């Protein structure tokens, strides 16, 4: 059977038409074939499958149980094929696109701008799945992932949206209290607000060549809450310029020290080949517009 796949597919199509009408004669008219040719194809198909598809009676045909199963399978398969072809013909800008990312990225970029996306693509819905870590999506059937990562995504298409940029942030009052604008060594007197671990702060202090233990007085929370603590004058958070810029521009927070580039960035990731599809391209263009690329 494997060696005759092309022949098998042709005969299966003939079978589906004959089964729809339960008539070789009607099927022949629809397929622009003779009744004998249709009958011959069905016999060859039954030979390839090694089971009967029809019960042939004097004036009518009936499907065997096996024939009914094959017809059901074909109807489902054809519906999927025709639906996919219709999507392609319409530019694929209908249906659903499944996007996975962290709660913080979803809350900062995607959710506040969903209304705009719906106005641009009224027939295309975003199904949003949020989890803390990229590895948590291993078994999720995603069309697109947006990850803060090192850019290593083997066997996938990936595109760097932004390089991460980190900067200490706090309220103006907290900065004045601890004289942070006067001397970076005054960081030894602050409460460090950490996101998920101490690694980022340790790297930042090494970059500034400051011998300060950032674990002595500190709060350890998830990233989406670090800025909230900083706004409450609870300490100094290591902010992300790509998310906290507006708070610096309004003066609610200040950045007493230099901005440094992170060793990670924001990557759009998808299964290889998905990047060529209109759904992906539409989403990516919208996302780039949001982040100002």
């Amino acid at each position: 059977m494997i060696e005759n796949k092309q022949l098998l597919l042709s005969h299966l199509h003939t079978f589906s038409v004959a089964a729809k009408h339960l008539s070789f004669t009607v099927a022949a008219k629809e397929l622009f074939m003779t009744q004998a040719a249709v009958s011959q194809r069905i016999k060859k198909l039954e030979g390839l499958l090694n089971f009967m598809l029809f019960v042939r009676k004097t004036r009518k045909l009936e499907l065997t149980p096996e024939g009914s199963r094959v017809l059901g399978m074909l109807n489902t398969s054809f519906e999927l094929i025709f639906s996919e072809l219709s999507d392609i013909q319409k530019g694929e800008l209908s249906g659903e696109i499944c996007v996975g990312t962290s709660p913080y990225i979803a809350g900062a970029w995607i959710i506040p701008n969903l209304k705009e996306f719906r106005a641009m693509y009224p027939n295309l819905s975003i199904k949003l799945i949020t989890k803390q870590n990229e590895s948590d999506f291993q078994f999720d059937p995603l069309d697109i992932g947006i990850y803060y990562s090192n850019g290593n995504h083997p066997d996938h298409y990936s595109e760097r949206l932004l390089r991460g940029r980190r900067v200490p942030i706090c309220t103006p009052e907290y900065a004045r209290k601890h004289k942070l604008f006067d001397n970076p060594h005054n960081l030894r007197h602050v409460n460090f607000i950490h996101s998920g671990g101490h690694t980022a702060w340790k790297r930042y202090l090494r970059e500034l060549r400051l011998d300060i233990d950032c674990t002595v007085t500190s709060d350890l929370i998830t990233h989406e809450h670090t800025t909230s603590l900083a706004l409450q004058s609870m300490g100094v958070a290591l902010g992300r310029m790509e998310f906290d810029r507006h708070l610096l521009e309004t003066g609610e927070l200040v950045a007493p020290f230099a901005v440094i580039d992170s060793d990670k960035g924001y990557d759009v990731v998808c299964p290889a080949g998905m990047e060529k599809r209109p759904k992906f391209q539409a989403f990516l263009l919208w996302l780039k517009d949001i982040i100002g690329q």
Side-chain angles (χ1 to χ4, degrees), residues 5-168:
K5 283 185 178 179
Q6 187 172 354
L7 183 63
L8 179 64
L9 287 172
S10 175
H11 291 353
L12 282 170
H13 178 244
T14 302
F15 162 74
S16 70
V17 176
K20 177 177 67 175
H21 298 294
L22 290 177
S23 168
F24 290 168
T25 302
V26 177
K29 290 180 181 179
E30 184 171 324
L31 295 169
F32 301 100
M33 300 170 61
T34 65
Q35 188 270 347
V38 171
S39 179
Q40 186 64 23
R41 281 195 175 188
I42 298 301
K43 286 181 181 178
K44 287 182 178 179
L45 178 60
E46 290 173 330
L48 289 169
L49 297 175
N50 291 318
F51 56 77
M52 301 298 292
L53 296 167
F54 291 103
V55 176
R56 294 160 176 80
K57 297 190 174 181
T58 305
R59 296 187 178 274
K60 65 177 181 177
L61 293 173
E62 290 183 1
L63 288 169
T64 64
E66 293 81 4
S68 294
R69 287 182 61 184
V70 173
L71 180 61
M73 173 193 68
L74 289 175
N75 286 341
T76 301
S77 300
F78 287 146
E79 284 177 11
L80 289 173
I81 291 169
F82 294 140
S83 175
E84 189 71 12
L85 289 173
S86 177
D87 279 351
I88 293 171
Q89 289 172 334
K90 295 175 183 176
E92 285 196 322
L93 300 182
S94 63
E96 182 178 86
I97 187 165
C98 188
V99 179
T101 192
S102 69
Y104 194 81
I105 293 174
W109 288 345
I110 298 178
I111 293 173
N113 296 286
L114 276 177
K115 184 176 181 181
E116 178 189 343
F117 184 87
R118 179 55 59 85
M120 294 172 65
Y121 307 107
N123 298 315
L124 181 59
S125 299
I126 294 177
K127 179 182 179 182
L128 187 60
I129 300 175
T130 60
K131 296 181 181 179
Q132 287 293 346
N133 300 310
E134 176 186 346
S135 59
D136 293 337
F137 290 104
Q138 183 177 0
F139 300 107
D140 287 295
L142 300 178
D143 295 311
I144 299 175
I146 309 169
Y147 306 130
Y148 183 65
S149 72
N150 60 13
N152 183 29
H153 306 284
D155 303 321
H156 285 71
Y157 171 85
S158 67
E159 181 175 333
R160 176 62 50 95
L161 291 172
L162 292 172
R163 186 168 186 176
R165 304 182 72 214
R166 309 304 294 269
V167 63

Side-chain angles (χ1 to χ4, degrees), residues 168-237:
I169 54 174
C170 63
T171 60
E173 297 77 18
Y174 196 88
R176 287 193 296 268
K177 177 181 177 181
H178 294 278
K179 300 180 179 179
L180 297 182
F181 285 105
D182 299 337
N183 191 335
H185 289 277
N186 288 335
L187 275 170
R188 68 178 69 255
H189 304 302
V190 308
N191 181 61
F192 290 92
I193 302 171
H194 296 278
S195 169
H198 302 116
T199 304
W201 257 120
K202 287 180 177 179
R203 180 175 181 269
Y204 184 87
L205 293 171
R206 282 198 305 271
E207 288 280 334
L208 266 62
R209 299 183 180 180
L210 296 173
D211 185 18
I212 297 175
D213 186 353
C214 61
T215 67
V216 176
T217 55
S218 63
D219 292 305
L220 185 63
I221 57 175
T222 56
H223 182 76
E224 54 263 36
H225 301 301
T226 57
T227 303
S228 296
L229 284 190
L231 285 166
Q232 297 174 57
S233 291
M234 294 288 290
V236 183

